[in-house]
Amino acid sequence: MPGEMSIEHRYASGYAALVGRLLDDTRHGWSIGTFGAVGEFVRDDDEPATRTITASAQCLYTARAAIRINLDVEPRMLAYDTLSGDGESWGHSLAFCLPVPDRARRGVIQSLGHDTDAVRDEDRDVAIFDLGAGIGHVRFCLRTRDARLIDTLLALQNQDVFGPHGGALMADVLRAQPHRVLISPAGRIEVFAAIPPPDGESPEGPHTHLLPQLIQSGRTHDANAPIPRGFQPVLMFNPRSPWRDALGRRVPFEPELDADFRKLLDRHGVPGEARIRAGVEAAVASGIRPDAFAWPTTRRGRAVARLTLRRIAQRSPGDLVAAWRAHHDHAEEE
């Protein structure tokens, strides 16, 4: 079954094979966006889906969303995990990165004509507008047949989406319920699911976030992501955490999910982090006291060391690793 397949890639057939294996696995999700402007693609294991493969792209769509991953652009892949603030768990990520373009900044509302590059045939004659909320390589767009919303967006061309007319525009967006389309050189994600009201919760499944305060920070990504300076993520593969179910609820640790991700981490991890992981594991295995170990001096290095201790605690719990965690790993975030 697709939902049971390992996300391990044997590296015999290159980028297209990796993309295909990851797209086939329903346990995990994808996203495209910048800090505060994001579209997410996920699907249920039993959800009907259409899959298309060409030499230049792989696509998958359901009744709720669509994704295309371009194969003629091969970004730099970077696998990493991040601490959770509960003192025990962690999450996984695989970022597909490209160099940040010159003069990367937010844009303004612009008509892009018809969305001739849409994943589904029936969407290719529909009007699409760039909201100017993305940064660098990423565009956050609206696609709609609604005449009133089209007129509103045409009247607001070359204006900031968060300018004086932004509130009225967002009210019209909620009324018209357009598709949201996130575009980057690596591909696109299209979300057809409904936009919740301002006081509502994001729906389960595919959805988007458009958060003005975060967008106006001008960041391409969250500061906790160890993306190399000068790069930005243009596509994210979001493996399910071994501590969370598909709805984000806490579950007992699933070692198979973590073992799957470790294969990606070993192949595409941040340079230097493998040395930190190996050093902590060797020290604990040798019985070294936690206060005798040269703890990393950088914020990210300390996070990697703490993550390693948490993994060891799940694999080989005992008094020594408990002492290490008491000394070095704390529930509160730095």
Side-chain angles (χ1 to χ4, degrees):
M1 295 290 293
E4 297 171 349
M5 114 180 11
S6 166
I7 62 173
E8 177 186 4
H9 175 52
R10 301 295 183 183
Y11 307 104
S13 304
Y15 185 62
L18 172 60
V19 167
R21 289 175 184 268
L22 300 184
L23 274 176
D24 281 341
D25 197 327
T26 59
R27 296 174 299 176
H28 314 297
W30 298 82
S31 60
I32 292 176
T34 54
F35 195 45
V38 182
E40 301 184 28
F41 177 91
V42 294
R43 62 188 175 109
D44 297 335
D45 189 50
D46 58 352
E47 185 172 9
T50 300
R51 188 92 146 76
T52 63
I53 301 174
T54 67
S56 60
Q58 296 195 26
C59 303
L60 194 155
Y61 64 86
T62 69
R64 299 186 294 169
I67 183 170
R68 172 187 291 128
I69 299 179
N70 297 329
L71 304 178
D72 51 0
V73 175
E74 192 166 335
R76 174 178 175 181
M77 288 180 282
L78 192 72
Y80 61 93
D81 31 28
T82 49
L83 288 165
S84 296
D86 57 12
E88 184 177 29
S89 65
W90 60 88
H92 296 155
S93 297
L94 176 64
F96 296 69
C97 303
L98 288 175
V100 179
D102 293 340
R103 297 184 298 278
R105 58 182 180 273
R106 282 203 303 116
V108 291
I109 298 170
Q110 290 286 343
S111 170
L112 303 180
H114 291 148
D115 191 10
T116 56
D117 203 31
V119 173
R120 304 184 303 182
D121 291 342
E122 64 260 37
D123 296 319
R124 292 176 186 161
D125 64 343
V126 183
I128 185 169
F129 292 82
D130 182 356
L131 286 187
I135 298 170
H137 290 296
V138 174
R139 285 179 157 178
F140 190 112
C141 304
L142 299 181
R143 186 173 65 204
T144 184
R145 296 184 187 275
D146 185 90
R148 182 169 141 194
L149 179 57
I150 290 172
D151 288 344
T152 298
L153 288 163
L154 286 172
L156 293 177
Q157 280 200 100
N158 301 312
Q159 295 190 38
D160 188 335
V161 68
F162 303 120
H165 302 289
L169 171 59
M170 289 304 130
D172 209 18
V173 167
L174 281 171
R175 177 195 60 79
Q177 292 290 320
H179 295 171
R180 284 83 70 213
V181 182
L182 279 294
I183 303 172
S184 85
R188 60 163 53 202
I189 287 175
E190 306 175 7
V191 178
F192 318 138
I195 305 169
D199 57 350
E201 296 183 359
S202 295
E204 297 173 4
H207 60 279
T208 53
H209 296 287
L210 193 64
L211 305 172
Q213 287 185 321
L214 301 186
I215 293 167
Q216 290 171 339
S217 72
R219 298 189 61 88
T220 60
H221 56 275
D222 188 282
N224 288 320
I227 306 300
R229 184 180 297 275
F231 283 77
Q232 78 170 103
V234 293
L235 174 69
M236 294 291 297
F237 174 62
N238 304 312
R240 214 185 84 203
S241 167
W243 293 98
R244 306 281 171 184
D245 66 12
L247 299 179
R249 297 172 301 201
R250 183 68 179 267
V251 296
F253 180 67
E254 298 185 45
E256 296 82 4
L257 281 172
D258 196 54
D260 283 352
F261 182 73
R262 283 295 299 269
K263 297 180 177 74
L264 290 174
L265 191 62
D266 290 344
R267 179 72 178 188
H268 296 294
V270 179
E273 291 189 1
R275 177 182 51 80
I276 296 173
R277 287 191 291 271
V280 172
E281 293 211 8
V284 174
S286 300
I288 294 175
R289 300 189 322 273
D291 58 351
F293 182 76
W295 197 243
T297 57
T298 66
R299 184 174 185 269
R300 177 61 191 172
R302 292 190 293 272
V304 172
R306 293 171 64 189
L307 281 158
T308 304
L309 289 177
R310 294 183 186 188
R311 278 196 168 96
I312 296 172
Q314 293 306 311
R315 183 178 68 242
S316 306
D319 292 343
L320 181 61
V321 70
W324 271 75
R325 294 194 64 221
H327 190 80
H328 288 299
D329 189 16
H330 308 285
E332 66 272 12
E333 286 298 288
E334 294 184 37

